[in-house]
Amino acid sequence: MPIEKKKTHLKAGKYFMQGDEACAEGAVAAGCTFFAGYPITPASEIMETIVRRFEEEKRVFVQMEDEIASMGAIVGASWTGAKSMTATSGPGFSLKMENLGYAIMTETPCVVVDVQRVGPSTGQATRTAQGDLMQARWGTHGEHTIIALSPWSVEEAFYETVRAFNLAEEFRTPVIILMEEATGHLRETVAVREAIEIFNRVEEGNGAPFGGEEPLDAVPPMPRFGTGHRLLVTGSTHDPHGYRKTQDRVTQERLLSHLQQKIEYHKERIVQWEEYELDDAETVLISFGFAARAALKAVKDARKKGIKAGLMRLKTVWPMPTERFETLAAQAKTLIVPEMNFGQLRGEVQRFTGGKKVIGVNRADGEVITPESILRAVEGGTSL
Amino acid sequence: MKEIMFAGIGGQGVILSASILARAGILKGYYAAQSQSYGSESRGTATRAEVVLSEEFVDFPHVEHADIFVVMAEMGVKLFASKVSQEAIVLYDNSVFELSENIGKERIGIPATRLAVDTFKKPLYANIIMLGAMMRHCGMVGPEEIKTVLKETVPSKALADNIKALELGSGLEY
């Protein structure tokens, strides 16, 4: 079995650390052996922690000339068998997009962290935002699908990073960790468990190294360079053996279907969310990341006032649990999506409500969204 | 649960104070969350640091309504007054500015910068003097925890002065 139970490098117990540090520690625990990056606020502390930890652990860290090269480096490293990672923020995330598409097309497991700050462009380096939700989904061109996770606490930054590596290995795909500056720079209590589950990619097996053979949703084995395989790795349309087929309609169609189905057909292994007080909720909040913490506080404050409010909090933001959006929309009198942008998640939820209007609580001035502003919307919503 | 907010200008050490307090809280067995807001520049911009100490995990880890507001520069008052509870204790450095705003319930002037200059010949320890004064009013952490954190945090040659600054701040009569 590719699943391995592994002792974490940290002694089980309570720690007090930053979200960025926890993300780096999660990477070390998950078995990340190669990190390439370029410093940027508010993600630099991930790299800083990695540098320190990798020296102790004798793993490979490279500071690259920019983010484009960093993304290229982790793709290459992954093909040597390494679990690889890079971390950045807005402007750097934009630069990663080209090679992110290459990683998707070449089915290269790797982890890309985006600690979101205010944009567009350089925006405000030290201020928080959730403006990259759609970029994570559609930032690289062409029809594709992606996995993106959204930790809401420092503790989750640790465990969701482990999960990101496991999903990358299992589905042979880049996985994005979408944090916010608010979590990346938050210091908080973290409980580290004795052991974690680690998924290691299947390197040897029957069949060709790329998808496109039946069943289309199956993840092909990924041999590493230097083990006797004649490996062709290309970002152009290729058949299951890696041969370029840049004019062939059927190959393109099968490859695209494979890339989509290996993720979409296995959503139950990927999509995670948590529910709070939803059983009898008439006002349903749907949120993610740091905004969901403000939303949960607002839900609890609303309950104290006798308002039947509840929260669905996305841990996996891509793909989304759209079936649950539908059932919640049927149950709710009012639907509210709080987020630190102008409505990127709201738009997605709105597609699955059968026409029921979704109210947005939005903040995009670089400050965190507050429980108070969400509570006001909850109170206003229920009196409609 | 207590919400504590520190404000000042980048370089005054408000984030360090907050981080020391939070880690002292951890030593006491509390859940602690510490966050900050600062400019891209390393010095000179308005800086805010927040600590939430609680018996259990806190859903929203930022300060909503500060119970204690420690402010070391006048611009911090105007910028962050809206996050201060009406019941708050406000500790401000009255050797740097006079507090004209009517914020919080109790306002206490601590001449931290002057004390630091008088005692150590430099304003460097004003943040730790303020931390000492804050400790007296917070009630959740004591000098032992803070000293333990200081030992882990500051260079050993600066430890004695830091502890002296802490005692200066906590021992003030006001």
Side-chain angles (χ1 to χ4, degrees):
Chain A
M1 276 297 280
I3 299 171
E4 171 195 351
K5 206 145 173 107
K6 190 168 157 270
K7 267 180 96 100
T8 59
H9 62 293
L10 295 171
K11 230 176 100 192
K14 284 202 170 155
Y15 291 82
F16 184 63
M17 57 172 103
Q18 250 187 4
D20 279 357
E21 284 175 76
C23 174
E25 294 288 0
V28 175
C32 174
T33 51
F34 183 90
F35 186 104
Y38 188 81
I40 185 168
T41 305
S44 297
E45 290 89 342
I46 295 176
M47 199 162 112
E48 218 178 294
T49 310
I50 287 282
V51 169
R52 194 161 37 82
R53 293 313 240 139
F54 273 24
E55 194 185 1
E56 293 163 7
E57 307 268 337
K58 305 280 175 258
R59 303 184 193 182
V60 181
F61 163 81
V62 189
Q63 178 169 329
M64 300 299 292
E65 65 267 36
D66 60 28
E67 289 87 346
I68 300 171
S70 316
M71 188 66 215
I74 69 164
V75 171
S78 185
W79 277 97
T80 71
K83 291 187 182 181
S84 64
M85 181 194 209
T86 188
T88 188
S89 183
F93 196 46
S94 292
L95 292 175
K96 308 256 182 217
M97 288 302 144
E98 181 182 354
N99 280 331
L100 181 71
Y102 184 79
I104 293 169
M105 189 61 146
T106 55
E107 305 191 55
T108 307
C110 54
V111 174
V112 180
V113 187
D114 174 25
V115 188
Q116 296 169 92
R117 67 189 225 186
V118 163
S121 190
T122 37
Q124 293 177 326
T126 59
R127 300 299 151 116
T128 196
Q130 294 182 313
D132 304 347
L133 180 66
M134 282 297 163
Q135 187 187 17
R137 180 66 186 88
W138 293 116
T140 194
H141 63 272
E143 181 62 47
H144 64 274
T145 193
I146 193 85
I147 299 174
L149 313 181
S150 162
W152 80 337
S153 67
V154 175
E155 184 166 309
E156 260 191 20
F158 182 91
Y159 288 109
E160 288 298 279
T161 302
V162 174
R163 190 160 80 93
F165 276 98
N166 288 349
L167 291 172
E169 293 288 310
E170 183 173 356
F171 294 99
R172 265 191 71 180
T173 186
V175 174
I176 293 167
I177 299 174
L178 211 52
M179 272 209 286
E180 299 90 24
E181 184 277 341
T183 307
H185 279 168
L186 177 70
R187 286 190 181 82
E188 192 175 34
T189 309
V190 176
V192 174
R193 292 192 292 264
E194 188 99 22
I196 49 168
E197 269 193 359
I198 297 293
F199 195 103
N200 298 313
R201 75 188 65 166
V202 177
E203 293 193 13
E204 301 291 333
N206 296 323
F210 297 99
E213 288 175 339
E214 295 295 339
L216 280 178
D217 67 324
V219 178
M222 183 179 174
R224 67 173 81 183
F225 274 117
T227 52
H229 294 267
R230 266 181 291 181
L231 273 172
L232 299 167
V233 182
T234 174
S236 296
T237 299
H238 48 270
D239 71 11
H241 296 280
Y243 288 101
R244 293 173 80 241
K245 298 279 180 190
T246 57
Q247 317 241 15
D248 184 61
R249 183 181 62 77
V250 176
T251 307
Q252 167 65 9
E253 202 266 334
R254 290 178 70 86
L255 180 56
L256 264 195
S257 301
H258 161 69
L259 293 177
Q260 189 195 31
Q261 287 177 19
K262 73 174 178 178
I263 292 172
E264 297 290 340
Y265 284 19
H266 300 276
K267 273 174 76 172
E268 78 290 346
R269 291 198 47 73
I270 301 166
V271 180
Q272 290 187 6
W273 72 91
E274 279 183 353
E275 302 192 350
Y276 307 85
E277 319 244 15
L278 277 177
D279 287 351
D280 63 342
E282 293 172 354
T283 301
V284 171
L285 282 71
I286 301 176
S287 190
F288 69 106
F290 193 90
R293 295 185 72 159
L296 180 57
K297 174 77 180 0
V299 161
K300 289 184 178 173
D301 288 347
R303 285 274 167 181
K304 283 182 200 150
K305 295 182 168 196
I307 301 167
K308 288 182 176 166
L311 169 71
M312 177 194 199
R313 196 260 300 186
L314 308 182
K315 282 174 78 175
T316 309
V317 282
W318 298 112
M320 282 191 190
T322 51
E323 296 81 3
R324 187 61 180 139
F325 291 168
E326 284 170 352
T327 57
L328 283 174
Q331 168 190 335
K333 286 186 180 156
T334 309
L335 281 162
I336 300 175
V337 174
E339 55 189 321
M340 298 188 298
N341 57 50
F342 282 165
Q344 297 187 20
L345 176 60
R346 184 179 77 226
E348 283 304 293
V349 174
Q350 187 69 71
R351 291 167 54 193
F352 300 92
T353 63
K356 199 175 274 181
K357 190 176 183 311
V358 183
I359 299 166
V361 181
N362 308 97
R363 183 162 200 182
D365 63 354
E367 296 288 330
V368 298
I369 197 164
T370 62
E372 223 166 359
S373 64
I374 299 169
L375 182 62
R376 273 200 301 276
V378 170
E379 289 177 311
T382 47
S383 66
L384 283 176
Chain B
M1 186 178 95
K2 279 245 163 77
E3 302 181 18
I4 304 111
M5 181 164 71
F6 298 80
I9 295 172
Q12 282 185 314
V14 300
I15 296 176
L16 180 64
S17 296
S19 152
I20 291 169
L21 171 64
R23 281 186 282 156
I26 297 278
L27 290 179
K28 270 281 214 180
Y30 293 119
Y31 161 90
Q34 188 260 309
S35 57
Q36 59 274 311
S37 160
Y38 59 95
S40 309
E41 304 79 4
S42 58
R43 284 186 174 76
T45 52
T47 300
R48 181 182 83 221
E50 304 181 350
V51 177
V52 179
L53 294 176
S54 166
E55 302 284 346
E56 54 193 21
F57 181 81
V58 171
D59 299 323
F60 185 67
H62 280 214
V63 164
E64 284 189 272
H65 308 287
D67 302 300
I68 302 176
F69 181 37
V70 181
V71 55
M72 297 181 63
E74 196 165 16
M75 75 162 132
V77 179
K78 285 194 175 63
L79 280 170
F80 309 124
S82 63
K83 289 181 66 145
V84 178
S85 153
Q86 287 178 346
E87 298 300 310
I89 297 169
V90 179
L91 300 167
Y92 66 102
D93 188 339
N94 64 352
S95 62
V96 175
F97 66 98
E98 264 315 315
L99 188 62
S100 47
E101 276 82 354
N102 191 22
I103 56 168
K105 190 179 170 191
E106 203 182 334
R107 291 170 286 278
I108 303 164
I110 311 284
T113 300
R114 185 172 55 74
L115 276 171
V117 172
D118 288 351
T119 316
F120 308 105
K121 310 290 174 230
K122 50 190 169 190
L124 189 66
Y125 296 103
N127 65 328
I128 305 297
I129 294 173
M130 293 301 280
L131 183 66
M134 192 283 319
M135 184 180 79
R136 247 178 76 166
H137 292 277
C138 175
M140 289 178 86
V141 294
E144 285 319 305
E145 291 86 46
I146 293 193
K147 282 179 193 170
T148 306
V149 177
L150 281 173
K151 275 178 204 154
E152 292 166 1
T153 313
V154 303
S156 52
K157 63 178 182 352
L159 182 63
D161 282 352
N162 271 284
I163 289 175
K164 196 169 174 189
L166 186 75
E167 285 167 352
L168 260 177
S170 60
L172 287 175
E173 292 299 324
Y174 40 80

